[in-house]
Structure formats: C-alpha cells, structure tokens
C-alpha cells in the first residue's frame, strides 16, 4: 500500500493506544474484525473517507488530525540529527522518528533546535 495509508493507519494506532482502547474493542464499535483493523493500522488496507469519518468519531479526533501528512522537513531534519555518531548505539528507527513527530511535534522541533545549537558549538 502507499505511504499515505501507512501514515493514516499509524496515526489511528497511536491515538487508539493513547486512549487505552484495544483493537478488539475498537473493531467491535466499528463493526469490523480486529484483523481488518490491524491491516488498516499497518497500512496494508486502504482507508476510505466514510471509514475515516467513522473512526475519527469513535476516537474523538478531527479527521484532519489523522489524515494530515507528516512534516517532511521536520522528519528529514530530525533524521539528520539522529544520524550523528552520538546516537549510533540507540537503534532509533524511521518508525520511531515518525511516531515522535506524530505524537509530540513540539518535542521533535525542540530536538532539532537543540541539535542545531549543538552543531554550532
């Protein structure tokens, strides 16, 4: 599947977990199987607009919060920063960086600023 489905699915999963809702519980409310929800959360199934509206209602979030694209400049800046030898033993993945940006954008921006100041000194 494409990257947009993966990003939307990931955001759904993060929000669901943040609310302490299981896949089984959410899938029951959405009248789908837990397996199908898992496929959507992993980006392996397309999420249509009707379903996006339904799931955003169940999770009590705006559709735009789930469907907006990741800030690619912030992502790239953070990846560049974390690519420094200082972090080589931490095993930080692309998934970790995307999750940080999706869940804590202000912290991701702060880390980039901190890294920029570190490089200047």
């Amino acid at each position: 599947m494409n990257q947009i489905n993966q990003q939307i699915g990931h955001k759904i999963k993060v929000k669901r977990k943040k609310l302490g809702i299981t896949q089984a519980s959410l899938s029951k409310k959405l009248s789908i199987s837990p397996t199908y929800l898992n496929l959507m959360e992993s980006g392996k199934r397309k999420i249509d607009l009707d379903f996006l509206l339904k799931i955003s209602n169940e999770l009590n979030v705006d559709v735009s919060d789930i469907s907006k694209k990741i800030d690619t400049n912030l992502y790239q800046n953070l990846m560049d920063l974390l690519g420094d030898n200082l972090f080589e033993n931490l095993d930080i993945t692309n998934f970790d960086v995307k999750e940080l940006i999706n869940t804590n954008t202000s912290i991701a921006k702060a880390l980039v600023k901190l890294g920029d100041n570190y490089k200047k000194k």
Side-chain angles (χ1 to χ4, degrees):
M1 276 286 141
N2 67 28
Q3 188 175 6
I4 293 173
N5 289 326
Q6 289 176 338
Q7 288 178 359
I8 291 172
H10 175 73
K11 288 179 183 182
I12 291 169
K13 182 178 183 177
V14 167
K15 183 63 176 175
R16 176 183 59 75
K17 285 185 168 189
K18 197 175 213 181
L19 294 171
I21 302 171
T22 64
Q23 278 186 335
S25 173
L26 183 58
S27 62
K28 186 175 183 179
K29 290 179 182 180
L30 297 170
S31 301
I32 60 172
S33 73
T35 303
Y36 194 73
L37 178 58
N38 182 281
L39 290 171
M40 285 190 281
E41 287 184 348
S42 63
K44 295 177 183 169
R45 289 290 181 264
K46 187 175 180 177
I47 302 169
D48 64 24
L49 182 57
D50 289 336
F51 185 79
L52 191 58
L53 291 169
K54 192 173 180 179
I55 201 162
S56 65
N57 185 50
E58 285 298 327
L59 296 175
N60 197 28
V61 295
D62 290 335
V63 173
S64 63
D65 290 341
I66 295 174
S67 61
K68 68 184 173 188
K69 289 180 109 178
I70 193 167
D71 182 339
T72 53
N73 286 335
L74 179 58
Y75 171 76
Q76 191 58 53
N77 289 338
L78 197 50
M79 288 299 293
D80 290 345
L81 170 68
L82 296 172
D84 189 277
N85 290 338
L86 180 66
F87 306 108
E88 68 184 342
N89 294 328
L90 296 180
D91 195 29
I92 299 170
T93 66
N94 293 346
F95 177 80
D96 296 329
V97 173
K98 288 178 183 178
E99 186 170 0
L100 175 64
I101 292 170
N102 286 329
T103 58
N104 297 294
T105 305
S106 58
I107 292 174
K109 288 178 181 178
L111 287 173
V112 170
K113 278 187 175 183
L114 185 63
D116 289 343
N117 285 338
Y118 172 76
K119 288 177 184 177
K120 288 177 185 176
K121 293 183 179 188

